[in-house]
Amino acid sequence: RGLRLGSQAVALESAAAAGITAAAVPPGEVLAAAERRHLELRLEQGSFSVHLDGADAERRIRTPEVTGAVSPVSALPALREWVNARLRRAAAEAGGAVVDGRDIGTVVFPGAVLKVFLTATSDARARRRSAQWGRPVDETTVARESAALEARDRADSTRAVAPLRQAADALPLDTTGLDFEHQVEWIV
């Protein structure tokens, strides 16, 4: 039993970033703004989705403006703990979950039974993201997105709070040349 929380940590942080970029909220007020705007995880049709202002926030949180604001927002200790508490509660209520994120195995669920640390080249990730968002997968778009991903990786790897790193007991999996089905096959 269990549900897939997926990238909901990033989604919650992205929704917080969407809320602050839209309203120019100072960093010290991000958590209060997230609560005021009713940022929450909701269980719908067997998976969790992020809602902001009572509506599904998926489209709003996948913009370049929001993506660029996520790293600084996700480095705020109070917001991280707020997000982590919601992820832990959602997983507990679901009886377990498959979760991915940048500090899931080291901070959010350090006692998880199975941890897999996924990697891929920034170009492969940029191609996947562009295709996922319905954008052209041309060299210009891939180069721009790849540079943005590398910058975020640097920022997240060097932040003081919950840095991006592989848990000591995580199995590494380079997904550069693997499609989703082959990634699942490797893990299962």
Side-chain angles (χ1 to χ4, degrees), residues 7 10 35 38-39 45 52 68 73 80 91 99 108 110 134 140 155 159 165 168 188:
S7 299
V10 173
E35 289 177 342
H38 307 285
L39 176 57
Q45 301 174 357
L52 183 63
V73 170
R80 289 203 74 75
V99 186
V108 185
T140 302
R159 66 183 176 213
R165 64 180 173 83
V188 176

mmCIF file of all heavy atoms in Angstrom, residues 7 10 35 38-39 45 52 68 73 80 91 99 108 110 134 140 155 159 165 168 188:
data_model
loop_
_atom_site.group_PDB
_atom_site.id
_atom_site.type_symbol
_atom_site.label_atom_id
_atom_site.label_comp_id
_atom_site.label_asym_id
_atom_site.label_seq_id
_atom_site.Cartn_x
_atom_site.Cartn_y
_atom_site.Cartn_z
ATOM 1 N N SER A 7 7.360 14.536 -6.786
ATOM 2 C CA SER A 7 8.178 15.715 -6.516
ATOM 3 C C SER A 7 7.409 16.765 -5.732
ATOM 4 O O SER A 7 7.542 17.953 -5.978
ATOM 5 C CB SER A 7 8.667 16.312 -7.838
ATOM 6 O OG SER A 7 9.446 15.391 -8.529
ATOM 7 N N VAL A 10 9.402 19.641 -3.983
ATOM 8 C CA VAL A 10 9.756 20.704 -4.918
ATOM 9 C C VAL A 10 8.504 21.476 -5.315
ATOM 10 O O VAL A 10 8.531 22.696 -5.425
ATOM 11 C CB VAL A 10 10.457 20.120 -6.166
ATOM 12 C CG1 VAL A 10 10.680 21.179 -7.219
ATOM 13 C CG2 VAL A 10 11.773 19.483 -5.773
ATOM 14 N N GLU A 35 0.902 30.127 4.068
ATOM 15 C CA GLU A 35 -0.280 29.763 4.857
ATOM 16 C C GLU A 35 -1.481 30.643 4.502
ATOM 17 O O GLU A 35 -2.598 30.164 4.383
ATOM 18 C CB GLU A 35 0.050 29.828 6.339
ATOM 19 C CG GLU A 35 0.983 28.698 6.744
ATOM 20 C CD GLU A 35 1.403 28.744 8.198
ATOM 21 O OE1 GLU A 35 1.280 29.810 8.846
ATOM 22 O OE2 GLU A 35 1.869 27.702 8.682
ATOM 23 N N HIS A 38 -3.114 29.504 1.460
ATOM 24 C CA HIS A 38 -3.641 28.135 1.565
ATOM 25 C C HIS A 38 -2.856 27.145 0.713
ATOM 26 O O HIS A 38 -3.437 26.353 -0.029
ATOM 27 C CB HIS A 38 -5.135 28.098 1.214
ATOM 28 C CG HIS A 38 -5.938 29.077 1.999
ATOM 29 N ND1 HIS A 38 -6.244 28.874 3.327
ATOM 30 C CD2 HIS A 38 -6.451 30.278 1.660
ATOM 31 C CE1 HIS A 38 -6.927 29.919 3.764
ATOM 32 N NE2 HIS A 38 -7.064 30.785 2.782
ATOM 33 N N LEU A 39 -1.524 27.189 0.833
ATOM 34 C CA LEU A 39 -0.664 26.229 0.148
ATOM 35 C C LEU A 39 -0.817 24.883 0.838
ATOM 36 O O LEU A 39 -0.644 24.774 2.045
ATOM 37 C CB LEU A 39 0.794 26.708 0.209
ATOM 38 C CG LEU A 39 1.845 25.777 -0.368
ATOM 39 C CD1 LEU A 39 1.555 25.447 -1.826
ATOM 40 C CD2 LEU A 39 3.220 26.410 -0.240
ATOM 41 N N GLN A 45 -7.593 11.356 -6.530
ATOM 42 C CA GLN A 45 -7.515 10.237 -7.465
ATOM 43 C C GLN A 45 -6.219 9.437 -7.306
ATOM 44 O O GLN A 45 -5.563 9.091 -8.277
ATOM 45 C CB GLN A 45 -7.680 10.726 -8.896
ATOM 46 C CG GLN A 45 -9.004 11.426 -9.119
ATOM 47 C CD GLN A 45 -9.114 12.048 -10.489
ATOM 48 O OE1 GLN A 45 -8.194 12.023 -11.285
ATOM 49 N NE2 GLN A 45 -10.268 12.632 -10.757
ATOM 50 N N LEU A 52 -2.759 26.013 -4.382
ATOM 51 C CA LEU A 52 -2.450 27.353 -3.914
ATOM 52 C C LEU A 52 -3.698 28.190 -4.152
ATOM 53 O O LEU A 52 -4.273 28.150 -5.247
ATOM 54 C CB LEU A 52 -1.250 27.925 -4.689
ATOM 55 C CG LEU A 52 -0.730 29.289 -4.293
ATOM 56 C CD1 LEU A 52 -0.199 29.276 -2.865
ATOM 57 C CD2 LEU A 52 0.376 29.728 -5.255
ATOM 58 N N GLY A 68 13.187 29.744 -11.273
ATOM 59 C CA GLY A 68 14.330 30.553 -10.867
ATOM 60 C C GLY A 68 14.281 31.009 -9.422
ATOM 61 O O GLY A 68 15.303 31.320 -8.825
ATOM 62 N N VAL A 73 14.067 30.131 -2.044
ATOM 63 C CA VAL A 73 12.919 29.855 -1.183
ATOM 64 C C VAL A 73 13.115 28.537 -0.446
ATOM 65 O O VAL A 73 12.873 28.430 0.754
ATOM 66 C CB VAL A 73 11.606 29.844 -2.009
ATOM 67 C CG1 VAL A 73 10.442 29.311 -1.185
ATOM 68 C CG2 VAL A 73 11.303 31.239 -2.519
ATOM 69 N N ARG A 80 11.335 24.920 4.827
ATOM 70 C CA ARG A 80 11.725 23.515 4.627
ATOM 71 C C ARG A 80 11.060 22.626 5.666
ATOM 72 O O ARG A 80 10.539 21.565 5.340
ATOM 73 C CB ARG A 80 13.241 23.353 4.711
ATOM 74 C CG ARG A 80 13.962 23.954 3.520
ATOM 75 C CD ARG A 80 15.311 23.327 3.322
ATOM 76 N NE ARG A 80 15.185 22.004 2.771
ATOM 77 C CZ ARG A 80 14.882 21.745 1.502
ATOM 78 N NH1 ARG A 80 14.664 22.732 0.669
ATOM 79 N NH2 ARG A 80 14.799 20.524 1.074
ATOM 80 N N ALA A 91 2.627 10.994 3.792
ATOM 81 C CA ALA A 91 3.117 9.620 3.636
ATOM 82 C C ALA A 91 2.559 8.725 4.733
ATOM 83 O O ALA A 91 2.154 7.582 4.475
ATOM 84 C CB ALA A 91 4.639 9.594 3.644
ATOM 85 N N VAL A 99 8.592 8.787 -2.949
ATOM 86 C CA VAL A 99 8.822 10.228 -2.930
ATOM 87 C C VAL A 99 10.162 10.528 -3.588
ATOM 88 O O VAL A 99 11.132 9.802 -3.394
ATOM 89 C CB VAL A 99 8.854 10.756 -1.471
ATOM 90 C CG1 VAL A 99 8.949 12.267 -1.442
ATOM 91 C CG2 VAL A 99 7.647 10.283 -0.695
ATOM 92 N N VAL A 108 14.249 14.356 4.878
ATOM 93 C CA VAL A 108 12.809 14.166 5.049
ATOM 94 C C VAL A 108 12.484 12.753 5.543
ATOM 95 O O VAL A 108 11.753 12.581 6.501
ATOM 96 C CB VAL A 108 12.039 14.472 3.748
ATOM 97 C CG1 VAL A 108 10.537 14.382 3.974
ATOM 98 C CG2 VAL A 108 12.400 15.855 3.222
ATOM 99 N N PRO A 110 14.991 9.991 6.328
ATOM 100 C CA PRO A 110 16.310 9.348 6.430
ATOM 101 C C PRO A 110 16.238 7.863 6.782
ATOM 102 O O PRO A 110 17.171 7.120 6.498
ATOM 103 C CB PRO A 110 17.017 10.143 7.525
ATOM 104 C CG PRO A 110 15.918 10.758 8.327
ATOM 105 C CD PRO A 110 14.794 11.002 7.360
ATOM 106 N N GLY A 134 6.120 20.577 -22.919
ATOM 107 C CA GLY A 134 5.598 20.838 -24.251
ATOM 108 C C GLY A 134 6.361 21.908 -25.001
ATOM 109 O O GLY A 134 5.838 22.526 -25.924
ATOM 110 N N THR A 140 18.981 25.292 -28.591
ATOM 111 C CA THR A 140 18.942 26.551 -27.846
ATOM 112 C C THR A 140 18.174 26.375 -26.537
ATOM 113 O O THR A 140 18.641 26.781 -25.466
ATOM 114 C CB THR A 140 18.291 27.663 -28.692
ATOM 115 O OG1 THR A 140 19.044 27.803 -29.903
ATOM 116 C CG2 THR A 140 18.258 28.978 -27.945
ATOM 117 N N ALA A 155 23.562 25.710 -6.443
ATOM 118 C CA ALA A 155 22.955 26.407 -5.306
ATOM 119 C C ALA A 155 22.449 25.413 -4.262
ATOM 120 O O ALA A 155 22.692 25.573 -3.064
ATOM 121 C CB ALA A 155 21.809 27.312 -5.787
ATOM 122 N N ARG A 159 23.977 24.881 -0.265
ATOM 123 C CA ARG A 159 23.189 25.592 0.750
ATOM 124 C C ARG A 159 23.453 24.988 2.131
ATOM 125 O O ARG A 159 23.767 23.800 2.269
ATOM 126 C CB ARG A 159 21.700 25.581 0.414
ATOM 127 C CG ARG A 159 21.058 24.233 0.463
ATOM 128 C CD ARG A 159 19.597 24.307 0.050
ATOM 129 N NE ARG A 159 19.031 22.966 0.022
ATOM 130 C CZ ARG A 159 18.098 22.578 -0.814
ATOM 131 N NH1 ARG A 159 17.617 23.421 -1.705
ATOM 132 N NH2 ARG A 159 17.639 21.349 -0.763
ATOM 133 N N ARG A 165 22.488 16.073 -1.699
ATOM 134 C CA ARG A 165 23.584 15.108 -1.654
ATOM 135 C C ARG A 165 23.000 13.707 -1.569
ATOM 136 O O ARG A 165 21.858 13.512 -1.170
ATOM 137 C CB ARG A 165 24.535 15.368 -0.495
ATOM 138 C CG ARG A 165 23.939 15.223 0.878
ATOM 139 C CD ARG A 165 24.975 15.497 1.971
ATOM 140 N NE ARG A 165 24.358 15.526 3.268
ATOM 141 C CZ ARG A 165 24.092 14.458 4.006
ATOM 142 N NH1 ARG A 165 24.406 13.267 3.563
ATOM 143 N NH2 ARG A 165 23.514 14.564 5.182
ATOM 144 N N ALA A 168 24.174 8.144 2.355
ATOM 145 C CA ALA A 168 25.212 7.110 2.394
ATOM 146 C C ALA A 168 24.668 5.737 2.016
ATOM 147 O O ALA A 168 25.384 4.925 1.416
ATOM 148 C CB ALA A 168 25.850 7.074 3.772
ATOM 149 N N VAL A 188 12.746 -1.633 -9.352
ATOM 150 C CA VAL A 188 11.887 -2.714 -8.865
ATOM 151 C C VAL A 188 12.617 -4.026 -9.002
ATOM 152 O O VAL A 188 12.594 -4.890 -8.204
ATOM 153 C CB VAL A 188 10.554 -2.727 -9.632
ATOM 154 C CG1 VAL A 188 9.681 -3.894 -9.215
ATOM 155 C CG2 VAL A 188 9.818 -1.431 -9.430
#
